[in-house]
Coordinates of all heavy atoms in Angstrom, one line a residue:
M1 N -19.0 8.9 2.8 CA -18.8 7.8 1.8 C -18.9 6.4 2.4 O -18.2 6.2 3.3 CB -17.5 8.0 1.1 CG -17.3 7.2 -0.2 SD -15.7 7.2 -0.8 CE -15.4 9.0 -0.9
G2 N -19.7 5.6 1.9 CA -19.9 4.3 2.4 C -19.2 3.2 1.6 O -18.6 3.4 0.6
K3 N -19.3 2.0 2.1 CA -18.6 0.9 1.5 C -19.2 0.6 0.1 O -18.5 0.3 -0.8 CB -18.8 -0.4 2.4 CG -17.9 -1.6 1.9 CD -18.0 -2.7 3.0 CE -17.0 -3.8 2.7 NZ -17.3 -4.4 1.4
K4 N -20.6 0.8 0.0 CA -21.2 0.6 -1.3 C -20.7 1.5 -2.4 O -20.4 1.1 -3.5 CB -22.7 0.8 -1.1 CG -23.6 0.4 -2.3 CD -25.0 0.4 -2.0 CE -25.9 -0.1 -3.1 NZ -25.8 0.8 -4.3
Y5 N -20.5 2.8 -2.0 CA -19.9 3.7 -2.9 C -18.5 3.3 -3.4 O -18.2 3.3 -4.6 CB -19.8 5.1 -2.3 CG -19.2 6.2 -3.2 CD1 -20.0 7.0 -4.0 CD2 -17.8 6.4 -3.2 CE1 -19.5 7.9 -4.8 CE2 -17.3 7.3 -4.1 CZ -18.1 8.1 -4.9 OH -17.5 9.0 -5.7
Y6 N -17.7 2.8 -2.4 CA -16.4 2.3 -2.8 C -16.4 1.2 -3.7 O -15.7 1.1 -4.7 CB -15.6 2.0 -1.5 CG -14.3 1.3 -1.7 CD1 -13.3 2.0 -2.4 CD2 -14.1 0.0 -1.3 CE1 -12.1 1.4 -2.6 CE2 -12.9 -0.6 -1.5 CZ -11.9 0.1 -2.2 OH -10.7 -0.6 -2.4
E7 N -17.3 0.2 -3.4 CA -17.4 -1.0 -4.3 C -17.8 -0.6 -5.7 O -17.3 -1.2 -6.7 CB -18.5 -2.0 -3.7 CG -18.0 -2.6 -2.4 CD -16.8 -3.5 -2.6 OE1 -16.6 -4.1 -3.6 OE2 -16.0 -3.6 -1.6
E8 N -18.7 0.4 -5.8 CA -19.2 0.8 -7.2 C -18.2 1.6 -8.0 O -18.2 1.7 -9.2 CB -20.5 1.6 -7.0 CG -21.6 0.7 -6.6 CD -22.9 1.5 -6.3 OE1 -22.8 2.7 -6.3 OE2 -23.9 0.9 -6.1
H9 N -17.3 2.3 -7.2 CA -16.4 3.3 -7.9 C -14.9 2.9 -7.8 O -14.1 3.7 -8.2 CB -16.6 4.7 -7.3 CG -18.0 5.2 -7.5 ND1 -18.4 5.9 -8.6 CD2 -19.1 5.0 -6.8 CE1 -19.7 6.2 -8.6 NE2 -20.2 5.7 -7.5
K10 N -14.6 1.8 -7.2 CA -13.2 1.5 -7.0 C -12.3 1.3 -8.2 O -11.1 1.5 -8.2 CB -13.0 0.2 -6.1 CG -13.5 -1.0 -6.7 CD -13.4 -2.2 -5.7 CE -14.0 -3.5 -6.3 NZ -13.9 -4.6 -5.3
D11 N -12.9 1.1 -9.4 CA -12.2 0.9 -10.6 C -12.0 2.2 -11.4 O -11.3 2.3 -12.4 CB -12.9 -0.1 -11.5 CG -12.8 -1.5 -10.9 OD1 -11.8 -1.8 -10.2 OD2 -13.8 -2.3 -11.2
E12 N -12.6 3.3 -10.9 CA -12.5 4.6 -11.5 C -11.2 5.3 -11.1 O -10.7 5.1 -10.1 CB -13.7 5.4 -11.2 CG -15.0 4.9 -11.7 CD -16.2 5.7 -11.3 OE1 -16.0 6.8 -10.8 OE2 -17.4 5.2 -11.5
D13 N -10.8 6.2 -12.1 CA -9.6 6.9 -11.8 C -9.9 8.2 -11.0 O -10.0 9.3 -11.6 CB -8.9 7.3 -13.2 CG -7.6 7.9 -13.0 OD1 -6.9 7.7 -11.9 OD2 -7.1 8.7 -13.9
D14 N -10.0 8.0 -9.7 CA -10.5 9.1 -8.9 C -9.6 9.2 -7.7 O -9.2 8.1 -7.1 CB -11.9 8.7 -8.5 CG -12.5 9.8 -7.6 OD1 -12.1 9.9 -6.4 OD2 -13.4 10.6 -8.0
E15 N -9.2 10.3 -7.3 CA -8.2 10.5 -6.2 C -8.8 9.9 -4.9 O -8.0 9.3 -4.1 CB -7.9 12.0 -6.0 CG -6.9 12.5 -7.0 CD -5.6 11.7 -7.0 OE1 -5.1 11.4 -5.9 OE2 -5.1 11.4 -8.1
C16 N -10.1 10.1 -4.6 CA -10.7 9.6 -3.4 C -10.6 8.1 -3.4 O -10.2 7.5 -2.3 CB -12.1 10.0 -3.2 SG -12.3 11.7 -2.8
I17 N -10.9 7.5 -4.5 CA -10.8 6.0 -4.6 C -9.4 5.5 -4.4 O -9.1 4.5 -3.7 CB -11.4 5.5 -6.0 CG1 -12.8 6.0 -6.1 CG2 -11.3 4.0 -6.1 CD1 -13.8 5.6 -5.0
K18 N -8.4 6.2 -5.0 CA -7.0 5.8 -4.9 C -6.6 5.9 -3.4 O -5.9 5.0 -2.9 CB -6.1 6.8 -5.7 CG -6.2 6.5 -7.2 CD -5.3 7.5 -7.9 CE -5.4 7.3 -9.4 NZ -4.6 8.4 -10.1
E19 N -7.1 6.9 -2.7 CA -6.7 7.1 -1.3 C -7.3 5.9 -0.5 O -6.6 5.4 0.4 CB -7.2 8.4 -0.7 CG -6.4 9.6 -1.2 CD -6.9 10.9 -0.6 OE1 -7.6 10.9 0.4 OE2 -6.5 11.9 -1.2
I20 N -8.5 5.6 -0.8 CA -9.2 4.5 0.0 C -8.5 3.1 -0.3 O -8.2 2.4 0.6 CB -10.7 4.3 -0.4 CG1 -11.4 5.6 0.1 CG2 -11.3 3.1 0.2 CD1 -12.8 5.7 -0.5
T21 N -8.1 2.9 -1.6 CA -7.4 1.7 -2.0 C -6.1 1.6 -1.3 O -5.7 0.6 -0.8 CB -7.2 1.7 -3.5 OG1 -8.5 1.8 -4.2 CG2 -6.5 0.4 -3.9
A22 N -5.4 2.7 -1.2 CA -4.1 2.8 -0.5 C -4.3 2.5 1.0 O -3.5 1.7 1.6 CB -3.4 4.1 -0.7
A23 N -5.3 3.0 1.6 CA -5.6 2.8 3.0 C -6.0 1.3 3.3 O -5.5 0.8 4.2 CB -6.8 3.7 3.4
V24 N -6.7 0.7 2.4 CA -7.1 -0.7 2.5 C -5.9 -1.5 2.5 O -5.7 -2.5 3.3 CB -8.1 -1.1 1.4 CG1 -8.3 -2.6 1.4 CG2 -9.5 -0.4 1.6
L25 N -5.0 -1.2 1.5 CA -3.7 -2.0 1.4 C -2.9 -1.8 2.6 O -2.2 -2.8 3.1 CB -2.9 -1.6 0.2 CG -3.5 -2.0 -1.2 CD1 -2.8 -1.3 -2.3 CD2 -3.5 -3.5 -1.3
R26 N -2.8 -0.6 3.2 CA -2.0 -0.3 4.4 C -2.6 -1.1 5.6 O -1.8 -1.7 6.3 CB -2.1 1.2 4.7 CG -1.2 1.6 5.9 CD 0.2 1.7 5.4 NE 1.1 2.0 6.6 CZ 2.0 1.1 7.1 NH1 2.2 0.0 6.5 NH2 2.7 1.4 8.2
I27 N -3.9 -1.1 5.7 CA -4.5 -1.9 6.8 C -4.2 -3.4 6.7 O -3.9 -4.0 7.7 CB -6.0 -1.7 6.8 CG1 -6.4 -0.2 7.2 CG2 -6.7 -2.7 7.7 CD1 -7.8 0.2 6.9
K28 N -4.2 -3.9 5.5 CA -3.9 -5.3 5.2 C -2.4 -5.6 5.6 O -2.1 -6.6 6.2 CB -4.0 -5.6 3.7 CG -4.0 -7.1 3.4 CD -4.5 -7.3 2.0 CE -4.5 -8.8 1.6 NZ -3.1 -9.2 1.3
E29 N -1.5 -4.6 5.3 CA -0.1 -4.8 5.7 C 0.1 -4.8 7.2 O 0.8 -5.7 7.7 CB 0.8 -3.7 5.1 CG 1.0 -3.8 3.6 CD 1.8 -2.6 3.0 OE1 2.2 -1.8 3.8 OE2 1.9 -2.5 1.8
I30 N -0.6 -3.9 7.9 CA -0.5 -3.8 9.3 C -1.1 -5.1 9.9 O -0.5 -5.7 10.9 CB -1.3 -2.6 9.8 CG1 -0.6 -1.3 9.4 CG2 -1.4 -2.6 11.4 CD1 -1.4 -0.1 9.6
S31 N -2.2 -5.6 9.4 CA -2.8 -6.8 9.9 C -1.9 -8.0 9.7 O -1.7 -8.8 10.7 CB -4.1 -7.1 9.1 OG -4.7 -8.3 9.4
E32 N -1.2 -8.1 8.6 CA -0.3 -9.2 8.4 C 0.9 -9.1 9.3 O 1.5 -10.1 9.8 CB 0.2 -9.2 6.9 CG -0.9 -9.7 6.0 CD -0.5 -9.6 4.5 OE1 0.6 -9.0 4.2 OE2 -1.3 -10.0 3.7
D33 N 1.4 -7.8 9.6 CA 2.5 -7.6 10.6 C 2.1 -8.1 11.9 O 2.9 -8.7 12.6 CB 2.8 -6.1 10.6 CG 4.1 -5.9 11.3 OD1 5.1 -6.5 11.1 OD2 4.1 -5.0 12.2
I34 N 0.9 -7.8 12.4 CA 0.4 -8.2 13.7 C 0.3 -9.8 13.7 O 0.7 -10.4 14.7 CB -1.0 -7.6 13.9 CG1 -0.9 -6.1 14.2 CG2 -1.7 -8.3 15.2 CD1 -2.2 -5.4 14.1
M35 N -0.2 -10.4 12.6 CA -0.2 -11.8 12.6 C 1.1 -12.5 12.8 O 1.3 -13.4 13.5 CB -0.8 -12.3 11.2 CG -2.2 -11.8 10.9 SD -3.4 -12.7 12.0 CE -4.9 -12.0 11.3
Q36 N 2.1 -11.9 12.1 CA 3.5 -12.4 12.2 C 4.1 -12.3 13.6 O 4.7 -13.1 14.1 CB 4.4 -11.7 11.2 CG 4.1 -12.2 9.8 CD 5.0 -11.4 8.8 OE1 5.8 -10.6 9.1 NE2 4.9 -11.8 7.5
K37 N 3.7 -11.1 14.3 CA 4.2 -10.9 15.7 C 3.5 -11.9 16.6 O 4.1 -12.3 17.6 CB 3.9 -9.5 16.1 CG 4.8 -8.5 15.5 CD 4.5 -7.1 16.2 CE 5.6 -6.1 15.8 NZ 5.5 -5.7 14.4
K38 N 2.3 -12.4 16.3 CA 1.6 -13.3 17.1 C 2.1 -14.8 16.8 O 1.7 -15.7 17.5 CB 0.1 -13.3 16.8 CG -0.6 -12.1 17.5 CD -2.1 -12.1 17.2 CE -2.8 -11.0 17.8 NZ -4.2 -10.9 17.5
G39 N 3.0 -14.9 15.8 CA 3.5 -16.2 15.5 C 2.7 -17.0 14.5 O 2.5 -18.2 14.5
G40 N 2.1 -16.3 13.6 CA 1.3 -16.9 12.5 C 1.1 -16.0 11.3 O 1.8 -15.0 11.2
K41 N 0.2 -16.4 10.5 CA -0.1 -15.6 9.3 C -1.6 -15.5 9.1 O -2.4 -16.3 9.7 CB 0.6 -16.1 8.0 CG 2.1 -16.0 8.1 CD 2.7 -16.4 6.7 CE 4.2 -16.1 6.7 NZ 4.8 -16.4 5.5
A42 N -2.0 -14.6 8.3 CA -3.5 -14.4 8.0 C -3.9 -15.5 7.0 O -3.2 -15.8 6.0 CB -3.7 -13.1 7.4
C43 N -5.0 -16.1 7.2 CA -5.6 -17.1 6.3 C -5.8 -16.3 5.0 O -6.4 -15.3 5.0 CB -6.8 -17.7 6.8 SG -7.8 -18.6 5.6
P44 N -5.4 -16.9 3.8 CA -5.6 -16.2 2.5 C -7.1 -16.1 2.1 O -7.5 -15.4 1.3 CB -4.8 -17.0 1.5 CG -4.7 -18.4 2.1 CD -4.7 -18.2 3.6
K45 N -7.9 -17.0 2.8 CA -9.3 -17.0 2.4 C -10.1 -16.1 3.3 O -10.9 -15.3 2.8 CB -9.8 -18.5 2.5 CG -11.2 -18.6 2.0 CD -11.6 -20.1 2.0 CE -13.1 -20.3 1.5 NZ -13.5 -21.7 1.6
C46 N -10.0 -16.3 4.6 CA -10.9 -15.5 5.5 C -10.1 -14.5 6.4 O -10.8 -13.7 7.0 CB -11.6 -16.5 6.4 SG -10.6 -17.3 7.7
G47 N -8.8 -14.5 6.4 CA -8.0 -13.5 7.1 C -7.8 -13.8 8.6 O -7.3 -13.0 9.3
A48 N -8.3 -15.0 9.1 CA -8.1 -15.3 10.5 C -6.7 -15.7 10.8 O -5.9 -16.0 9.9 CB -9.0 -16.5 10.8
L49 N -6.2 -15.6 12.0 CA -4.9 -15.9 12.4 C -4.7 -17.4 12.3 O -5.5 -18.2 12.8 CB -4.6 -15.5 13.8 CG -3.2 -15.9 14.4 CD1 -2.1 -15.2 13.7 CD2 -3.2 -15.6 15.9
V50 N -3.6 -17.8 11.5 CA -3.3 -19.2 11.4 C -1.9 -19.4 12.0 O -0.9 -18.7 11.6 CB -3.3 -19.7 9.9 CG1 -2.9 -21.1 9.8 CG2 -4.6 -19.4 9.3
K51 N -1.7 -20.2 13.0 CA -0.4 -20.4 13.7 C 0.6 -21.0 12.7 O 0.2 -21.8 11.9 CB -0.6 -21.3 14.9 CG -1.5 -20.7 16.0 CD -0.7 -19.8 16.9 CE -1.5 -19.3 18.1 NZ -0.8 -18.3 18.9
D52 N 1.9 -20.6 12.9 CA 2.9 -21.2 12.1 C 2.9 -22.7 12.3 O 2.8 -23.2 13.4 CB 4.3 -20.7 12.6 CG 4.6 -19.3 11.9 OD1 4.1 -19.1 10.8 OD2 5.3 -18.5 12.6
G53 N 3.0 -23.4 11.2 CA 3.1 -24.9 11.2 C 1.7 -25.5 11.0 O 1.6 -26.7 10.8
S54 N 0.6 -24.7 11.1 CA -0.7 -25.3 10.9 C -0.9 -25.5 9.4 O -0.5 -24.8 8.6 CB -1.8 -24.3 11.4 OG -1.6 -24.1 12.8
K55 N -1.6 -26.6 9.2 CA -1.8 -27.0 7.8 C -3.2 -26.5 7.3 O -3.4 -26.3 6.1 CB -1.8 -28.5 7.6 CG -0.4 -29.1 7.6 CD -0.4 -30.5 7.2 CE 1.1 -31.1 7.0 NZ 2.0 -30.9 8.1
F56 N -4.1 -26.2 8.2 CA -5.4 -25.7 7.8 C -5.8 -24.6 8.7 O -5.4 -24.5 9.9 CB -6.4 -26.8 8.0 CG -6.2 -28.0 7.1 CD1 -5.4 -29.1 7.5 CD2 -6.7 -28.0 5.8 CE1 -5.2 -30.2 6.7 CE2 -6.4 -29.1 4.9 CZ -5.6 -30.2 5.4
C57 N -6.6 -23.7 8.2 CA -7.2 -22.6 9.0 C -8.2 -23.1 10.0 O -9.1 -23.9 9.6 CB -7.9 -21.6 8.0 SG -8.8 -20.3 8.9
S58 N -8.1 -22.7 11.2 CA -9.0 -23.2 12.2 C -10.4 -22.5 12.1 O -11.4 -23.0 12.6 CB -8.4 -22.9 13.6 OG -8.2 -21.5 13.8
A59 N -10.5 -21.4 11.4 CA -11.7 -20.7 11.2 C -12.6 -21.2 10.1 O -13.8 -21.5 10.2 CB -11.5 -19.2 11.1
C60 N -11.9 -21.4 8.9 CA -12.7 -21.8 7.7 C -12.2 -23.1 7.1 O -12.9 -23.6 6.2 CB -12.6 -20.7 6.6 SG -11.0 -20.6 5.8
G61 N -11.1 -23.7 7.6 CA -10.7 -25.0 7.0 C -9.8 -24.9 5.8 O -9.5 -25.9 5.2
E62 N -9.5 -23.7 5.3 CA -8.7 -23.5 4.1 C -7.3 -24.2 4.3 O -6.7 -24.0 5.4 CB -8.5 -22.0 3.8 CG -7.7 -21.7 2.6 CD -8.4 -21.9 1.3 OE1 -9.5 -22.4 1.3 OE2 -7.8 -21.6 0.2
K63 N -6.8 -24.9 3.3 CA -5.5 -25.5 3.4 C -4.5 -24.4 3.2 O -4.5 -23.7 2.2 CB -5.4 -26.6 2.2 CG -4.2 -27.5 2.4 CD -4.3 -28.6 1.4 CE -3.1 -29.6 1.5 NZ -1.9 -29.0 1.0
I64 N -3.6 -24.2 4.1 CA -2.7 -23.1 4.1 C -1.2 -23.4 4.2 O -0.4 -22.5 4.5 CB -3.1 -22.0 5.1 CG1 -3.4 -22.6 6.4 CG2 -4.2 -21.1 4.6 CD1 -2.3 -22.9 7.3
D65 N -0.8 -24.7 4.2 CA 0.5 -25.1 4.5 C 1.6 -24.4 3.6 O 2.7 -24.1 4.0 CB 0.7 -26.6 4.5 CG 0.2 -27.2 3.2 OD1 -0.5 -26.6 2.4 OD2 0.5 -28.4 3.0
D66 N 1.2 -24.1 2.3 CA 2.1 -23.6 1.3 C 2.5 -22.1 1.6 O 3.4 -21.6 1.1 CB 1.7 -23.8 -0.1 CG 0.3 -23.1 -0.3 OD1 -0.4 -22.9 0.6 OD2 0.0 -22.9 -1.5
I67 N 1.7 -21.4 2.4 CA 1.9 -20.0 2.6 C 3.1 -19.7 3.6 O 3.6 -18.6 3.7 CB 0.7 -19.2 3.1 CG1 0.3 -19.6 4.5 CG2 -0.5 -19.4 2.1 CD1 -0.8 -18.7 5.1
F68 N 3.6 -20.8 4.2 CA 4.6 -20.6 5.2 C 6.0 -20.8 4.5 O 7.0 -20.7 5.1 CB 4.5 -21.6 6.3 CG 3.3 -21.3 7.2 CD1 2.2 -22.1 7.2 CD2 3.3 -20.2 8.0 CE1 1.0 -21.8 7.9 CE2 2.2 -19.9 8.8 CZ 1.1 -20.7 8.7
E69 N 6.0 -21.1 3.2 CA 7.3 -21.3 2.5 C 7.9 -19.9 2.3 O 7.2 -18.9 1.9 CB 7.1 -22.0 1.2 CG 6.7 -23.4 1.4 CD 6.4 -24.1 0.0 OE1 6.6 -23.4 -1.0 OE2 5.9 -25.2 0.0
E70 N 9.2 -19.8 2.5 CA 9.9 -18.5 2.2 C 10.2 -18.3 0.8 O 10.7 -19.2 0.1 CB 11.2 -18.5 3.1 CG 10.9 -18.3 4.5 CD 10.2 -17.0 4.9 OE1 10.5 -16.0 4.3 OE2 9.3 -17.0 5.7
Ligands
ZN101 ZN1 -9.6 -19.1 7.0

């Protein structure tokens, strides 16, 4: 099963699609956990590591200062 299949069928009520969706969310959680351990967070736009206190993403320039609020 490829990415194209997933993109076309992700809205369907299918066990395989649910499993993939869950896996994608899990990967995202793990990624965010790694970002926090490195002292930053994932850019909401491109997913690159943004150091704590940075106002803009160094990769894409997205303004990200508000994501550091608790
Ligand atoms: Zn970015």
Side-chain angles (χ1 to χ4, degrees):
M1 190 189 308
K3 191 171 189 299
K4 190 170 184 294
Y5 179 91
Y6 173 63
E7 291 298 328
E8 289 173 353
H9 298 269
K10 64 183 177 182
D11 293 328
E12 293 179 13
D13 187 24
D14 181 288
E15 282 303 316
C16 286
I17 301 303
K18 285 178 183 173
E19 284 181 22
I20 294 170
T21 303
V24 169
L25 289 173
R26 183 82 186 111
I27 291 166
K28 191 167 180 287
E29 285 175 9
I30 293 167
S31 174
E32 287 174 356
D33 189 50
I34 291 168
M35 296 290 184
Q36 287 178 357
K37 284 187 171 68
K38 285 181 176 176
K41 289 189 177 183
C43 169
K45 187 177 178 183
C46 75
L49 175 66
V50 179
K51 294 280 186 184
D52 277 331
S54 297
K55 288 187 166 58
F56 299 92
C57 173
S58 60
C60 73
E62 178 79 354
K63 192 169 183 288
I64 43 81
D65 52 347
D66 58 340
I67 69 172
F68 293 107
E69 292 175 8
E70 288 297 319

